[in-house]
Amino acid sequence: MSTLDASTMDEHPLDNEHIRTGLSKEALKRAFLDNLFYLRGRFREVATDDDLYQAAAYTVRDRLLERWIRSSRLYKESSARTVCYLSAEFLLGPQLANNMINLGITEVLHEAGEALGLDFERIIESEEEPGLGNGGLGRLAACYMDSLATTQIPAIGYGIRYEFGIFDQVIVDGWQVEKGDTWLRNGNPWEIMRPKLAFPVGFGGYSEQYTDEHGVVRQRWRPDLLVNGVAHDTPIMGYGVDNVNLLRLWRSEAPESFNFGAFNVGDYYGAVHAKIEAETISKVLYPNDEPEAGKELRLKQQFFFVSCSLQDMIRLELNNAGTLERFQQKYAIQLNDTHPSLAIAELMRLLMDDHLMTWDQAWTITRESCHFTNHTLLPEALETWPVELFERLLPRHLEIIYEINRRFLDEVRVRFFGDEGRVARMSLIDEAGGRKVRMAHLAAVGSRAINGVAELHSELLKSTVMKDFNDLWPERFHNVTNGVTPRRFIAASNPELADLISETCGNDQWVRDLHCLRQLEPHAEDHALQQRWRKIKTDAKRKLSNWLGERTGFAPDPETLFDVQAKRIHEYKRQHLNLLHIVWLYEQIKQNPNIELTPRTFIFGGKAAPGYFMAKLIIKLINAVGAVVNADPQVNGTLRVLFMPDFNVKNGQRLYPAADLSEQISLAGKEASGTGNMKFSMNGALTLGTLDGANIEIRDEVGHDNFFLFGMTAAEAQQQQAAGYRPWEHYQQDERLRSAIDLISSGLFSHGDSELFRPLTENLIHHDPFMVLADFHDYRERQQEIDHAYKDPHHWDRMSILTTTRMGRFSSDRSIADYAERIWQVTPMPVALNESPDA
């Protein structure tokens, strides 16, 4: 008998629906009340907001589990090729609303809530966001998990269950202050802990040689520290399908959490020391790696999660096939940036040392299984680890890396005879300035495919940081332009716009196939549609304004142009270019109070890395400029500046629908792709941007007339740098630029303190590594063009509608289809709930 058919399971007396799986209003009402009572121990009158949220989450999760079990069984029985997506980050965002959309129960669940006297929007709002990512990298991984399930491709996402995720950001006196992200304080209803599914992970110790019973000389590792990785599983539901994939995150714990021997002799700290040391590994996302202890912990984290994940894949394959000989045909392992690069060495160790394969057998499996996505061109972001640290923590893996390197460099020497410079550049070990292991090189050598994440990025990857590898293996290099899921970033974020699109198109097929948005294009000139489009935008701006008013004390006028730059705070993303223009505008209004300008609200959002002083100073300057501008009655009808605190997925979903203008202004050649640019454009924001990352492809798709382009190309920027870029000359020659910098230096925005922002202004004038000053003139002129364009609402609305309609290429569903066809060679495996799976 099926578990779901068990006689003990409650059924609704009228429609015979199971309380755990039914999708009717009555079934959902009963399920909600049962979960509130039996899982939370509450009745309606005394339930807190969190009680109500947890009951709703378990109600939705129950419906996922039936599909999850069915999917798992089908994948196992069919031996379906499975994508294993290894990522140090999975920035999922709130899950309740998204899962409701994917299950197709949003409307009926709201009706069930109304019947119970519940405000379901308030319940959704109360969900705590799991901050298991820093930004675009983790959010991309989450989008891809959504799309893998939606496109019905069997997949497992593997990562770390950080107890404390990306910090919560609060602003104190204009400065960023980091607060601990205690996202687990009320529990996580979406996950299922698997205490019996745990794998040992070693650190330190030594490697030794021995001869096995067949007389074969082998190597084994004797670590001096062992921790366990315990699985925590989250179901990932596809949209409009019954496929549910698995996100498996690992939590670290000590094999023995309490040492009674130490306790009995009075060593109370020693009694729990192993537990503390082990649990530290999964304690916090990205510890500060400036101190040596931080570097060591980050390396431990990376090895911890790849080792657990690979041991799990091996377990699954042995259970299913009984042998590892076809491992590479079963699994396509995707390394999301360099953080999982240790998978190359660890898979080799597991296959050779634990499963007694030869080097050649293990190397064939490893190289055919692994694929590497590069996400950056910034040299400082290409991970390296000191050999000394590697030798201390992972001695066996360093041996394997040395052997990979020896064999690889022999291949390079034969192919490029006499070119020892190339040999040194391509080596997995950087011998200059302290010996270091180059993780990007390890990933490239051990993978069958290497891809960039936008057309420009992929070309620059082949011509700059990985040129030597492209010369050796051009067939391994691919481009897969990033994408984002329209389920979360239109349907969940902007339901009013989603309804208008579906009504105008006559169907909602666009949610699953974003190219269907093109059906909207013939209506772009329709004034009635434009008016409804603008009203939806204004309503979104009003909602954001109210939210900002509650949290910052300042609610911007929704009738102003919302000019938004929201992304990680970093010099290459050039928030200070935006600020220089704002300061110049402020000066113009002060000098000419009758100047006619489109009223604007400039909104910034983003977090700075805790140890990144210049980024934190930029946040301080944004808030300092806002404090002066917003308090000045002479300008506050025309100009406002706000900083949105704690920008994350949840807050981003408030911001994307409200933006009129999206600023994507990084120096050309520095942003790998960007995904915020896609989220804003899908919601009708026009882009002010450089020819960088995916901006280029967005501009080509939406039409050059619907994109405000400025700045140097990547080639022009490289040429200027090579010729000896002199920012001082731009400062001297551009009076507007000079006056803006001087106004900041004067102390106007720092209570007369002319020293506070000097590190920022001096760096711009004398160094300017990201060429802010070189692009300022062109940027300012394009901003004036935007000022004029916004004054023609029909023209602006037409551009906004066309921008949304032409964003089909930037769905993560398309990205996954590209990976599946060109890199992974996997095919969809549809799941159908024809009958319930057996227990």
Side-chain angles (χ1 to χ4, degrees), residues 171-176 571 576 579-580 583 613-628 731 740-766:
I171 303 299
V172 178
D173 190 28
W175 292 97
Q176 170 181 291
E571 289 169 276
H576 41 352
L579 272 172
L580 288 175
V583 171
F613 168 74
M614 197 66 81
K616 286 189 163 184
L617 191 61
I618 289 172
I619 292 177
K620 172 63 175 175
L621 180 57
I622 293 168
N623 285 290
V625 170
V628 171
Y731 171 76
I741 293 176
D742 289 350
L743 202 59
I744 295 170
S745 300
S746 72
L748 175 66
F749 304 110
S750 48
H751 308 290
D753 182 356
S754 60
E755 294 299 312
L756 179 59
F757 298 115
R758 183 178 296 277
L760 184 60
T761 55
E762 290 291 304
N763 182 264
L764 284 173
I765 294 170
H766 299 294

Side-chain angles (χ1 to χ4, degrees), residues 409-570:
L409 292 184
D410 283 348
E411 181 181 352
V412 174
R413 289 187 181 98
V414 171
R415 178 73 180 273
F416 301 99
F417 185 73
D419 191 347
E420 287 301 312
R422 187 184 296 264
V423 171
R425 292 194 305 269
M426 298 183 75
S427 174
L428 273 58
I429 309 298
D430 183 357
E431 304 285 353
R435 302 179 74 231
K436 296 177 181 177
V437 181
R438 294 163 162 160
M439 303 308 286
H441 290 206
L442 175 61
V445 172
S447 296
R448 68 182 294 271
I450 303 158
N451 73 278
V453 291
E455 288 177 1
L456 175 64
H457 170 245
S458 296
E459 289 306 310
L460 290 174
L461 189 67
K462 293 189 290 185
S463 63
T464 57
V465 295
M466 305 218 81
K467 179 182 184 303
D468 292 322
F469 291 91
N470 183 62
D471 290 345
L472 180 62
W473 300 311
E475 71 283 355
R476 290 195 194 179
F477 282 79
H478 304 266
N479 173 64
V480 180
T481 298
N482 284 346
V484 301
T485 167
R487 272 75 66 182
R488 180 173 294 277
F489 293 109
I490 303 180
S493 301
N494 203 345
E496 292 80 9
L497 181 63
D499 288 344
L500 177 59
I501 292 171
S502 296
E503 178 189 331
T504 307
C505 294
N507 59 70
D508 61 0
Q509 290 302 308
W510 62 270
V511 183
R512 184 173 171 81
D513 180 0
L514 203 60
H515 291 287
C516 291
L517 286 175
R518 285 279 185 172
Q519 298 172 26
L520 193 66
E521 187 165 334
H523 305 277
E525 302 280 2
D526 185 336
H527 282 205
L529 176 65
Q530 290 179 1
Q531 288 176 348
R532 293 179 65 187
W533 192 274
R534 178 165 285 253
K535 182 181 184 304
I536 288 170
K537 178 67 71 175
T538 304
D539 288 347
K541 292 162 73 173
R542 187 170 290 110
K543 289 177 185 176
L544 176 66
S545 177
N546 293 338
W547 185 88
L548 286 168
E550 292 172 1
R551 279 150 185 83
T552 68
F554 182 79
D557 181 358
E559 297 300 326
T560 62
L561 188 161
F562 277 20
D563 183 332
V564 179
Q565 187 177 13
K567 53 184 69 248
R568 184 162 49 93
I569 308 296
H570 197 292

